[in-house]
Amino acid sequence: MVVGARGVGKTYGIMKYCIEHKIPFIYLRRLKTQLELCASVQGNPFNKLNADMGMNIKPQNTRAGVVFADGDTVVALGVALSTVANVRGFDYSQYNMIIFDEAIASEGERPISKEFNVFLNFYETVNRNRELTGSAAVKAVLLGNANRLTNPYFSGWHFMKTALNMIKGNQ
């Protein structure tokens, strides 16, 4: 989990890293409405990277989610946690990383029932025990603003005490 102040480049940095290292990834958002916004020209999360890196990564809606591609090169698949919670059997084997943007819900966002377990189930669907076949496990990077310590991920992974100690230590 990467948690910090709003607008410091958490998403930009990890997506740039994946592009530079040619790591295909899943761009995960909590809610379908958030993903739909990202599928628009104005909401495209690659706009700043496109400008800075001379790329042209555009969103394209598909039945599986939103494909973000630069021409014929697929960079990422965008999906919403609220919708993949009910989906099984998809083949995500071409994706080696999950970037979960805005994993910590903002004040007023609707909750996802049993969100932590939904995320773990999605991770397992993507990973499919790759380690058993000698492949590396999928890496998941959860990004969030430091607006709520009480969130499903800090609770589920028992990070609360660590987070409080880091706050006390100005870390």
Side-chain angles (χ1 to χ4, degrees), residues 50-115:
N50 283 340
D52 292 350
M53 297 177 71
M55 302 181 79
N56 191 23
I57 301 170
K58 294 181 180 176
Q60 303 163 5
N61 286 306
T62 69
R63 286 178 29 154
V66 178
V67 171
F68 294 96
D70 188 357
D72 293 334
T73 304
V74 174
V75 174
L77 172 66
V79 297
L81 187 63
S82 61
T83 56
V84 296
N86 303 315
V87 175
R88 300 285 185 269
F90 269 84
D91 178 15
Y92 295 107
S93 60
Q94 70 270 37
Y95 301 101
N96 299 317
M97 186 174 287
I98 299 169
I99 298 175
F100 190 174
D101 199 12
E102 306 290 349
I104 299 174
S106 295
E107 198 70 34
E109 266 184 46
R110 81 167 177 84
I112 298 172
S113 180
K114 299 181 181 173
E115 182 172 337

Side-chain angles (χ1 to χ4, degrees), residues 1-140:
M1 287 199 77
V2 180
V3 178
R6 184 169 199 80
V8 296
K10 299 178 294 288
T11 304
Y12 181 96
I14 191 66
M15 290 191 337
K16 183 176 187 228
Y17 175 87
C18 287
I19 291 167
E20 289 176 341
H21 292 87
K22 298 182 180 2
I23 300 169
F25 64 93
I26 294 174
Y27 179 74
L28 182 66
R29 294 299 300 251
R30 289 186 68 253
L31 305 174
K32 184 179 180 187
T33 53
Q34 295 167 337
L35 183 64
E36 288 169 348
L37 180 61
C38 293
S40 70
V41 172
Q42 298 82 8
N44 181 356
F46 291 92
N47 281 340
K48 180 77 169 122
L49 284 164
N50 283 340
D52 292 350
M53 297 177 71
M55 302 181 79
N56 191 23
I57 301 170
K58 294 181 180 176
Q60 303 163 5
N61 286 306
T62 69
R63 286 178 29 154
V66 178
V67 171
F68 294 96
D70 188 357
D72 293 334
T73 304
V74 174
V75 174
L77 172 66
V79 297
L81 187 63
S82 61
T83 56
V84 296
N86 303 315
V87 175
R88 300 285 185 269
F90 269 84
D91 178 15
Y92 295 107
S93 60
Q94 70 270 37
Y95 301 101
N96 299 317
M97 186 174 287
I98 299 169
I99 298 175
F100 190 174
D101 199 12
E102 306 290 349
I104 299 174
S106 295
E107 198 70 34
E109 266 184 46
R110 81 167 177 84
I112 298 172
S113 180
K114 299 181 181 173
E115 182 172 337
F116 182 68
N117 289 331
V118 170
F119 173 77
L120 293 180
N121 285 333
F122 176 67
Y123 177 86
E124 181 54 36
T125 298
V126 175
N127 192 57
R128 285 282 184 230
N129 298 312
R130 295 178 192 208
E131 308 94 295
L132 297 178
T133 61
S135 298
V138 170
K139 290 183 174 69

